[in-house]
Amino acid sequence: MAFKPVRFTRSLFILLSFFALSSLADSPAASPVIPPDALCDSTRYPALCKTVLRSQNGTVFDFGRVLLRRSLSQSQIFLNQVDSYLQSSSSLSQPTIGALKDCSFLAGLNIEFLSDALNAVQNLNDFLSSSQAQDLETLFSAVLTNQQTCQDGLQTTASDGRVKDDLSSSLSNDSKLHSVSLALFTKGWVPQKNTTTSWPNNRRLLDFLQSRIFDSTSRSHDRKLLQSVNGSVVVTGSVVVSQDGSGNFTTINDAINAAPNNTASGAGYFLIFITSGVYQEYVSIPKYKQYLMIVGDGINRTIITGDHNVVDGYTTFNSATFAVVAQGFVAVNITFRNTAGAIKHQAVAMRSGADLSVFYLCSFEGYQDTLYTHSMRQFYRECDIYGTVDFIFGNAAVVMQNCNLYPRLPLSGQFNTITAQGRTDPGQNTGTSIQNATIKAADDLAPSVGTVQTYLGRPWKEYSRTVFMESWIDSLINPAGWHDWNGTFALSTLYYAEYNNSGPGSNTSNRVTWPGYHVINATDAVNFTVANFLIGDAWLPPTGVPHYSGFAS
């Protein structure tokens, strides 16, 4: 998103607090002035909403801005609280320090996201366009996800109960505030969504990216500009990473550090080509390294690997071998791996919180929690994903097309769950849509398919949302299809659906009978396609990565 960030100072927050509590008499005459009670009653937390708005009259836009300013102010207060603990961390355990660092990072992102949203609606008293509305819904959804991730990390800090209790209370209260902000934003600025049911014919497989960037007859480092179908420049600069010293850099991190900062949307990608080799690096791409494209020599040829895990003291969030939060990230032809093994439990190979991110012809290898689709909007095409427990998890708005999902052999006594989606609020525009996939046992699981149970997913959070459609499902999937998380938790609030799947494991006649489970038709399934769920036709074409806008067939 091309919104200009706010620079935060003490005086600005005093001013924000003043605006949040001051009279709403400056409402434009064209907007109906209403009391807040009815509006607040439609949110999840009406009492909190009414307390913030203090029974004043205003428009839905006025109320939305008041809640947004308060959310922004509280996010800064929370960040200050976390940083205060970190500044006196000598008495804290390492797991607590790790969780606090995650919280500080995530709170900083929330301040940026909320300030972007405030800038966008500061003087707007009308509907946004559909694409602008989804941009901001994505930001609000990510704010709630970041809050929950911080909360989850703090739950592992039992030895420092005071820190956990203090911050958990703040997180709970602030999350309720953010939920109300999202609800009022939706009521004020989000137009009624129009479902697309016909799409442009974009299924033609584009030339393989690598051959369009490098000379196909040699390994010289003469770069070519990658161009989109309409001829506009997509790649404006490039470097090569090679362990033998023949490129510009020998490490991936050095190449990322050399990439330009704050590249604007539409200005082109900076390409990092990573030659074959095993790169034992932990990579974290920060928010200001937008529009990076990394291309490898192929799955199992260019491998980025690590072994951080929860058993060894890392948070799940920070166990990732490769992590990215920079908008417009694209990865092609690379294996991302975590080698900690099933015995070390949560161990992430890839974590993405990058908006408009794309993964094409990549492999993600791990056991528990392999692929952390953390937040924002993401697209995966023709990827291989290996794991055991909850191996695709998170709370992004994500579509996966033509991917191979390979459950592996778990620890003795464990069962496999392919997905664990983490939606915490019904207003979030998030969920996991898996389309035209192939689901079959990995080689190590195949001999044990009859004794190890494997499920399509389980509800990690209250409003978990996952759809499998047009996919081939082998017999390893338990006839019930889905597994509970903890008794009846979330069974009536989740949304799990299947549409037009095939294969011996696709029979839905013995599936769970939960209120939130559905066998859906095309009218419902179309909401989870690229065109509707991600508005992907607006941002996927410049990447050169093929996709179905709608159904695969």
Side-chain angles (χ1 to χ4, degrees), residues 36 42 59 91 125 193 255 258 386 468 538:
S42 67
T59 69
S91 62
N125 297 311
K193 294 180 180 178
Y386 297 81
F468 283 81

Side-chain angles (χ1 to χ4, degrees), residues 350 352 357-360 364 371-373 378-383 385 398-403:
M350 161 63 71
S352 177
S357 54
V358 178
F359 300 85
Y360 178 41
F364 305 91
L371 177 57
Y372 197 171
T373 57
Q378 306 179 24
F379 178 69
Y380 296 75
R381 175 79 179 203
E382 296 170 45
C383 292
I385 309 169
V398 55
V399 175
M400 297 179 172
Q401 289 183 350
N402 296 25
C403 293

